[in-house]
Amino acid sequence: MIKKSTALEYKLYRSVLSKEDFISYIQYEINVLELIKKRRVRIGYRFKREDIEYPIIERINSVFRRATVKWKEDVQLWFSHVAFCKKWNTKAQLSRVFASMLAIHPDKPALWIMAAKCEMEDRNSSETARNLFLRALRFHPENKKIYQEYFRMELMHAEKLRKQQKELENAKMDLGEYEFSEEILGGKLAEVVCRDATSKIKGVEFLLSLLRIAALFDFTQELQDAITRDLQENYVDDCVTWDYMAKRELETGLGAAAETELRSASGKATDVARREERCCQVYEEGLKNLSTEAMWACYITFCLDRFRRKTNVSMLKEKRQGRLLAVLQRAHDASVLSEDLHRTWLQVLLSAGDADAAAQVAVAATQRFSQSAEAWSSSLQALVQLGRAETGELFQEALKRVTPKESLPLWLLRVEWSTAAQSPEETEAVFQKGLASRVPAVSMEMKQKYLDWSYRMGGYKKARKTFKSLQEHRPFSKGFFLRMIEIEKEQDSPKISNLRDYYERTLREFGSTDDDLWLGYIKEELGSRGNAENSGTIHWRAMKSLEGERVERFVTQYTLLQTGHI
């Protein structure tokens, strides 16, 4: 151990220092500490810690200090020193580490918060934590996270003092002249922090974050009321304020748990319905003042969330569904319903079994969002599911309106619908139109779908005829050729000449990038139908055609094939 430690320590005094040498030395010394700890537990020896562990801990702290002086910008190195101090309970050293780190990295708010939390939670020093937060605000006067944690810290400090007061009162101890300040116990310091924060940082989301923090403590009702008044006075033109106020009504009746447990299921449902009505009244009031798309979205999201909640009471379920559909219809009439909410509306109607209304909504969505491929796709899927007569015309309209590059899902849906609902002649005409598309992705996909459909409808002969008509049709699709190879193999007596032709055509286009094609070709020649002498020639061609890592992978797979492992 002495030789190892000395060798590691010598490296720290080289003319050119290395961070890895410092880390290795520190890790070795920490391992020694862990070993000592285990041996103490094993033999039950708890003495002479100041002679054994303390010098090692001090030596590690010294090396950490040298490392952090040398590599000041390495925040992870500072974190390692902090973690070591926490684990080995060197609290005085921990404060010095944070002080040095913050002197070098005052521009990082997370470090200030970490230091303050450490002082508050590990060292139980709220005064030091407060000073750190105040210093942090000098560097970051408008940082939301610092204000939130400072606000939380003051509330935690007040809660701690309240617990201490309660314990002393229960113990009936004489405190003499010492008295707990009622203002501090009531969270007045947190209120001062809140006022200062809201004067510098505007925004309803930040104010609500402070309100949520205050709601975690049971003595902050006055503070919560003050924040709520601030919301109502200064942010009445923000939909988030109305959303919060409405949902607050839903939580108002959640108290009195004992009474709730005694009620019947119908009584609980009535109470929930009444509270939901109060929420809707707040939303309606908000819409009178702020009839925007965001406000409607908040209202609809609330109704949708309540609708998706499971309940066994049919009355409540029907009421929620009717409310949701009514609000969606009103938003649609006001032309403020987004595309996503249109799709949600359509799904709700389909699940409710209202076919006529669902069809109307689907058609309306295509008119409102005529350039959106997703809107057309969801609407056409619904119309196909409902079996509407106007589906064919809408498919043609969709392909005219939507950008060709985004039309592939519509083509796939149209082919699927035509296969199930139209005659073979009409379906073939749809395929021909898709093959003529100028978008490569559409044309390639249509080729493969057309080949599959031909095989299903007319068997092998029709599939081969389709293949021959499209084998020179660009752009080429690897899936098209591979599907024809599969079809040939599915026959009772596959022809090796046809397989060779398919493989040769595929390799001509994709042989330089796909080693699996060459291996498949070789396997066919090594099979009962092929000629094993051709495999050597194919291997030589593959080595010439493949590029980069594909060559190495091909060699490996070919070797496994020769040895019988694949």
Side-chain angles (χ1 to χ4, degrees):
M1 288 176 65
I2 293 174
K3 286 183 179 180
K4 179 68 173 176
S5 179
T6 303
L8 289 170
E9 190 171 358
Y10 280 159
K11 292 181 180 180
L12 306 186
Y13 293 94
R14 290 173 172 174
S15 57
V16 179
L17 298 179
S18 169
K19 189 193 304 183
E20 286 71 23
D21 292 338
F22 280 81
I23 294 173
S24 298
Y25 182 75
I26 290 168
Q27 188 59 57
Y28 179 76
E29 294 285 11
I30 291 175
N31 292 341
V32 172
L33 283 175
E34 294 288 352
L35 181 61
I36 293 171
K37 184 178 179 181
K38 289 182 179 180
R39 290 190 178 181
R40 280 188 180 279
V41 172
R42 190 183 67 190
I43 65 177
Y45 188 80
R46 297 180 177 83
F47 307 102
K48 294 190 176 182
R49 292 183 184 274
E50 63 279 2
D51 296 330
I52 301 173
E53 282 95 340
Y54 289 0
I56 299 176
I57 292 173
E58 182 57 36
R59 193 157 58 244
I60 293 173
N61 280 323
S62 175
V63 176
F64 263 124
R65 283 194 295 271
R66 285 186 59 195
T68 51
V69 167
K70 177 67 176 175
W71 296 281
K72 298 182 178 69
E73 302 302 322
D74 190 343
V75 178
Q76 193 58 48
L77 195 60
W78 289 101
F79 286 168
S80 300
H81 196 183
V82 169
F84 172 78
C85 293
K86 284 185 176 182
K87 183 173 181 179
W88 295 97
N89 201 25
T90 56
K91 295 182 179 180
Q93 181 68 30
L94 184 60
S95 294
R96 289 195 289 270
V97 172
F98 273 121
S100 301
M101 179 174 63
L102 292 175
I104 296 169
H105 298 282
D107 58 325
K108 296 179 174 60
L111 300 184
W112 288 100
I113 294 172
M114 180 192 296
K117 279 189 173 182
C118 181
E119 293 291 343
M120 182 69 184
E121 297 170 5
D122 297 338
R123 302 201 65 197
N124 201 24
S125 175
S126 56
E127 187 66 30
T128 307
R130 184 180 296 113
N131 289 333
L132 282 170
F133 275 122
L134 291 172
R135 287 177 58 199
L137 290 173
R138 294 175 192 166
F139 289 97
H140 310 279
E142 296 182 359
N143 187 276
K144 295 180 181 180
K145 190 63 178 176
I146 291 178
Y147 268 115
Q148 289 167 353
E149 295 303 325
Y150 186 17
F151 182 67
R152 191 195 307 272
M153 187 278 294
E154 291 294 359
L155 291 175
M156 290 173 62
H157 175 58
E159 185 180 44
K160 182 180 70 172
L161 292 180
R162 292 171 72 90
K163 288 180 179 179
Q164 290 177 359
Q165 184 188 40
K166 188 175 181 180
E167 290 173 359
L168 292 173
E169 289 175 353
N170 292 337
K172 298 180 180 179
M173 294 180 62
D174 184 13
L175 302 178
E177 297 181 357
Y178 181 78
E179 293 183 0
F180 289 94
S181 172
E182 292 298 328
E183 292 185 349
I184 296 178
L185 293 175
K188 293 297 182 181
L189 286 177
E191 187 176 341
V192 172
V193 175
C194 180
R195 282 201 303 268
D196 184 50
T198 53
S199 66
K200 294 180 180 178
I201 303 175
K202 303 298 180 181
V204 64
E205 291 289 353
F206 176 67
L207 200 57
L208 283 176
S209 68
L210 297 181
L211 186 56
R212 294 188 191 100
I213 294 172
L216 299 174
F217 300 87
D218 56 6
F219 59 91
T220 60
Q221 190 58 50
E222 291 184 6
L223 180 57
Q224 292 180 54
D225 294 340
I227 297 175
T228 304
R229 285 194 301 272
D230 192 6
L231 275 173
Q232 294 172 331
E233 293 172 1
N234 300 321
Y235 299 99
V236 71
D237 57 345
D238 196 312
C239 63
V240 179
T241 300
W242 290 101
D243 190 43
Y244 168 76
M245 297 303 298
K247 291 177 179 177
R248 190 183 181 203
E249 291 294 328
L250 186 65
E251 299 170 356
T252 303
L254 295 179
E259 294 182 9
T260 305
E261 292 176 359
L262 297 175
R263 294 175 185 169
S264 62
S266 60
K268 291 180 182 178
T270 303
D271 180 55
V272 170
R274 188 164 48 246
R275 284 188 272 121
E276 289 179 358
E277 283 297 330
R278 290 204 303 268
C279 295
C280 292
Q281 290 173 6
V282 177
Y283 278 117
E284 293 292 345
E285 185 67 24
L287 288 172
K288 293 178 182 178
N289 296 284
L290 190 70
S291 184
T292 62
E293 183 176 340
M295 185 68 222
W296 279 102
C298 290
Y299 193 5
I300 294 170
T301 303
F302 168 77
C303 294
L304 186 63
D305 178 63
R306 303 309 299 179
F307 170 71
R308 286 173 175 170
R309 287 180 175 268
K310 295 182 179 180
T311 177
N312 296 323
V313 181
S314 57
M315 177 273 296
L316 184 58
K317 189 183 299 183
E318 293 172 1
K319 198 167 187 178
R320 286 172 174 174
Q321 179 177 312
R323 181 192 301 124
L324 173 62
L325 294 176
V327 175
L328 285 166
Q329 183 64 56
R330 289 170 57 198
H332 171 69
D333 295 341
S335 300
V336 291
L337 196 61
S338 66
E339 184 180 335
D340 290 338
L341 291 177
H342 256 103
R343 283 197 290 271
T344 301
W345 188 12
L346 185 57
Q347 292 301 321
V348 171
L349 289 171
L350 289 173
S351 62
D354 193 344
D356 293 335
Q360 292 176 4
V361 170
V363 174
T366 60
Q367 295 172 353
R368 174 81 189 281
F369 308 101
S370 59
Q371 306 295 322
S372 171
E374 292 184 2
W376 278 104
S377 181
S378 58
S379 297
L380 288 170
Q381 283 178 0
L383 292 172
V384 168
Q385 181 180 339
L386 296 171
R388 307 294 291 192
E390 65 269 25
T391 305
E393 297 177 0
L394 286 173
F395 268 118
Q396 296 179 8
E397 184 68 19
L399 292 172
K400 291 179 183 177
R401 296 292 186 90
V402 175
T403 306
K405 291 182 179 180
E406 300 177 357
S407 63
L408 179 58
L410 298 179
W411 278 108
L412 295 177
L413 186 60
R414 187 181 185 185
V415 165
E416 183 182 347
W417 167 78
S418 181
T419 303
Q422 292 186 304
S423 65
E425 293 76 13
E426 291 174 315
T427 303
E428 187 155 2
V430 171
F431 276 119
Q432 293 299 332
K433 290 180 181 178
L435 290 170
S437 173
R438 296 181 179 180
V439 181
V442 173
S443 179
M444 290 164 61
E445 192 67 28
M446 286 298 104
K447 286 171 68 174
Q448 188 172 345
K449 294 288 183 183
Y450 188 22
L451 183 61
D452 279 332
W453 178 79
S454 299
Y455 185 50
R456 288 198 308 271
M457 298 300 295
Y460 174 74
K461 288 185 178 180
K462 185 172 179 59
R464 182 162 170 77
K465 182 180 178 182
T466 301
F467 177 79
K468 284 187 175 182
S469 67
L470 297 175
Q471 62 186 5
E472 298 295 340
H473 185 275
R474 291 183 180 273
F476 293 114
S477 167
K478 183 166 64 176
F480 173 71
F481 291 108
L482 293 178
R483 180 59 184 141
M484 193 60 219
I485 292 172
E486 292 176 4
I487 291 172
E488 185 69 42
K489 290 180 180 179
E490 290 173 3
Q491 306 312 304
D492 294 334
S493 55
K495 294 183 178 180
I496 188 63
S497 59
N498 289 341
L499 287 173
R500 284 172 180 156
D501 178 51
Y502 304 150
Y503 270 113
E504 289 294 340
R505 290 181 179 278
T506 311
L507 290 170
R508 186 177 63 192
E509 300 297 329
F510 307 101
S512 62
T513 57
D514 195 332
D515 51 295
D516 290 332
L517 285 174
W518 292 102
L519 288 169
Y521 195 5
I522 291 173
K523 287 179 183 178
E524 289 298 330
E525 292 292 355
L526 293 175
S528 59
R529 298 183 296 269
N531 184 0
E533 294 179 357
N534 295 336
S535 62
T537 304
I538 298 171
H539 176 270
W540 180 83
R541 290 172 55 198
M543 295 296 292
K544 292 291 184 181
S545 300
L546 291 171
E547 302 172 352
E549 297 179 355
R550 296 287 183 180
V551 179
E552 297 180 7
R553 188 174 182 275
F554 172 74
V555 171
T556 303
Q557 295 296 315
Y558 184 70
T559 304
L560 293 174
L561 179 63
Q562 286 184 314
T563 55
H565 289 85
I566 59 172

